[in-house]
Amino acid sequence: MQVSTLVWLTTDAGRALLEAARKVHLEAEGDPVRAATAVRRLEPDAERAAAALTQVELRGRAVAKFGEPAAHMFFTPDALEQATRLRVAEHRAARLVAAQVDSIIDLGCGIGGDLIAFARAGLTAAGVDIDPVRVAIARANLAALGLPGAVEVADVEAIDTLAFGAAFADPARRGARGRVFDVDGWTPPWPFVLRLLAGRGVVKVAPGISHDVIPDGVEAEWVSEGGDVKEAVLWAGVFATTDRRATVIGTGGLATITDEDDPYAGQPRPVREMGACLYEPDGAVIRAGLVTAVAAGVGGGLLDEHIAYVTSDSAFQTPFARSYRVLEEVPYREKQLKAALRERSVGSLTIKKRGVEIVPEQLRKRLDLRGDNATTLVLTRVAGAGRAYLVEPF
């Protein structure tokens, strides 16, 4: 999409076309040719017609990330994929407000997802990006939501961040061949990130970042939403309150756990036999290395020192793990397992596994399930041996 086309879409005529395209998209019931033909009848300019229909489709996809504001925003497909989910961005903005930050520069702001959260939190927010289209979209998104903020085209490495209370960056981690896992291949590069973290920087990084590359004194926070790990964030020493943190955002709100909650930090990991309950730690907890903190919280231990399953004799509801009641142990070997499930008339089976080389979909087919009962099967290793358990959530 060209900048001129985006600007036109923000006019009264453009907004009218977007609304008409929205209705056409609904009436077309998923038929792209029918939708495109109908929109072209309304707008003879091919570029404008295609852009309007694309925006309608992207807005529908964006609801999962941005909620109601998505209906008024503008996107590109790749920028939408890379944008931070609004609830995650709002958590970050709230932390900055709590740290008494009053202004922030977003270095590489993209379409403005984080800028929106910063502005809604009351921060004076400015953004820069090297891509003129994304800058135009970020401006349009702030304006569409009635939010203040300045956005300019600039090279992030040329920006003086000292005038701002904080500097936020989300380095690009994709190249021509896909994802870039080596920090030296990010844009801007790792030395730039380190300079930010030596000052008042906050940097969004890949959840799989190695603990070994995180500088001393910098807090690493892993964030999940709805059970999926979305990102890791590095907080400069001036904002750090701990070394490692896992933040879990769910339907019931937000919860956080840190290495200060882990009495086993630097100690041997607590290992024990399966108890009455099994806990499956959230991915953010696992990435942060805080599984033993969850074990301490439920008064239990690990089934295996190297596998992220926690067990306890007590039943707890915790935001940091899925909780299961252990019904019984069943044979691990496939032939005997198949017979045990047949005996229990299991026709629907959820398979969970950690530490074993099993593909659940393939195993489910081979088990040839028959019956009216449904259950959950957990496959794992304990002391090097395969074990299988039937469990139910509580």
Side-chain angles (χ1 to χ4, degrees), residues 254-330:
L254 178 149
T256 189
I257 190 170
T258 77
D259 49 359
E260 295 176 0
D261 298 308
D262 188 358
Y264 299 105
Q267 306 284 333
R269 308 189 98 191
V271 178
R272 53 158 291 173
E273 279 293 317
M274 177 68 85
C277 301
L278 179 71
Y279 299 90
E280 181 182 25
D282 183 271
V285 171
I286 296 172
R287 295 283 192 179
L290 295 173
V291 172
T292 49
V294 172
V298 299
L302 279 62
L303 278 177
D304 186 282
E305 183 178 0
H306 304 292
I307 297 175
Y309 274 134
V310 171
T311 186
S312 170
D313 293 320
S314 302
F316 288 92
Q317 290 286 358
T318 170
F320 304 114
R322 293 178 181 176
S323 306
Y324 299 91
R325 183 172 292 104
V326 179
L327 302 176
E328 61 177 317
E329 183 171 3
V330 291

Side-chain angles (χ1 to χ4, degrees), residues 299-369:
L302 279 62
L303 278 177
D304 186 282
E305 183 178 0
H306 304 292
I307 297 175
Y309 274 134
V310 171
T311 186
S312 170
D313 293 320
S314 302
F316 288 92
Q317 290 286 358
T318 170
F320 304 114
R322 293 178 181 176
S323 306
Y324 299 91
R325 183 172 292 104
V326 179
L327 302 176
E328 61 177 317
E329 183 171 3
V330 291
Y332 179 81
R333 292 184 178 277
E334 191 172 310
K335 182 178 180 180
Q336 290 84 350
L337 173 61
K338 181 177 180 179
L341 295 175
R342 285 278 181 88
E343 182 181 341
R344 290 157 179 78
S345 299
V346 174
S348 177
L349 185 67
T350 299
I351 301 175
K352 293 183 169 292
K353 59 100 174 184
R354 282 186 179 167
V356 293
E357 295 296 328
I358 289 173
V359 180
E361 294 77 13
Q362 295 176 3
L363 174 61
R364 190 181 292 107
K365 289 181 180 179
R366 294 197 302 270
L367 290 174
D368 190 22
L369 301 169

Side-chain angles (χ1 to χ4, degrees), residues 205-226:
V205 296
I209 188 170
S210 170
H211 289 214
D212 294 337
V213 305
I214 299 170
D216 292 340
V218 168
E219 176 187 327
E221 177 184 25
W222 282 263
V223 183
S224 71
E225 183 193 27

Side-chain angles (χ1 to χ4, degrees), residues 1 6 10 19 53 96 147 153 203 226 253 257 263 284 321 335 385 393:
M1 181 170 57
L6 171 68
T10 65
E19 176 57 23
L53 191 55
L96 288 165
L147 296 169
V153 176
V203 183
I257 190 170
K335 182 178 180 180

Side-chain angles (χ1 to χ4, degrees), residues 95 217-220 239-245 257-260:
R95 278 200 63 173
V218 168
E219 176 187 327
F239 302 126
T241 59
T242 189
D243 289 332
R244 290 172 292 130
R245 179 187 302 273
I257 190 170
T258 77
D259 49 359
E260 295 176 0

Side-chain angles (χ1 to χ4, degrees), residues 40-255:
R40 280 299 303 274
R41 292 195 192 102
L42 300 170
E43 173 52 59
D45 185 292
E47 167 75 13
R48 292 174 178 178
L53 191 55
T54 297
Q55 289 308 307
V56 168
E57 295 169 349
L58 292 175
R59 285 175 172 183
R61 285 161 47 186
V63 170
K65 278 194 171 184
F66 290 95
E68 188 277 334
H72 311 284
M73 295 172 63
F74 298 89
F75 307 95
T76 65
D78 56 343
L80 173 58
E81 181 182 349
Q82 296 162 15
T84 305
R85 286 178 172 257
L86 186 56
R87 291 184 72 195
V88 177
E90 287 176 335
H91 160 63
R92 178 161 41 250
R95 278 200 63 173
L96 288 165
V97 170
Q100 299 185 326
V101 170
D102 57 6
S103 63
I104 187 164
I105 178 74
D106 187 340
L107 303 168
C109 64
I111 59 172
D114 284 281
L115 276 178
I116 289 169
F118 295 145
R120 289 176 66 165
L123 297 171
T124 299
V128 297
D129 200 285
I130 199 68
D131 184 341
V133 173
R134 294 193 180 194
V135 166
I137 292 177
R139 285 177 183 158
N141 285 338
L142 289 172
L145 300 178
L147 296 169
V151 193
E152 299 292 340
V153 176
D155 180 349
V156 299
E157 295 190 66
I159 299 297
D160 182 1
T161 64
L162 295 180
F164 297 89
F168 173 70
D170 179 6
R173 298 180 291 278
R174 284 186 178 273
R177 298 183 178 180
R179 292 187 181 275
V180 177
F181 296 98
D182 185 352
V183 296
D184 292 325
W186 294 355
T187 306
W190 187 244
F192 175 82
V193 170
L194 294 179
R195 288 196 297 273
L196 285 183
L197 294 175
R200 301 182 66 82
V202 180
V203 183
K204 175 181 172 180
V205 296
I209 188 170
S210 170
H211 289 214
D212 294 337
V213 305
I214 299 170
D216 292 340
V218 168
E219 176 187 327
E221 177 184 25
W222 282 263
V223 183
S224 71
E225 183 193 27
D228 295 325
V229 185
K230 299 301 180 184
E231 63 181 47
V233 183
L234 304 182
W235 296 83
V238 293
F239 302 126
T241 59
T242 189
D243 289 332
R244 290 172 292 130
R245 179 187 302 273
T247 296
V248 177
I249 302 173
T251 56
L254 178 149

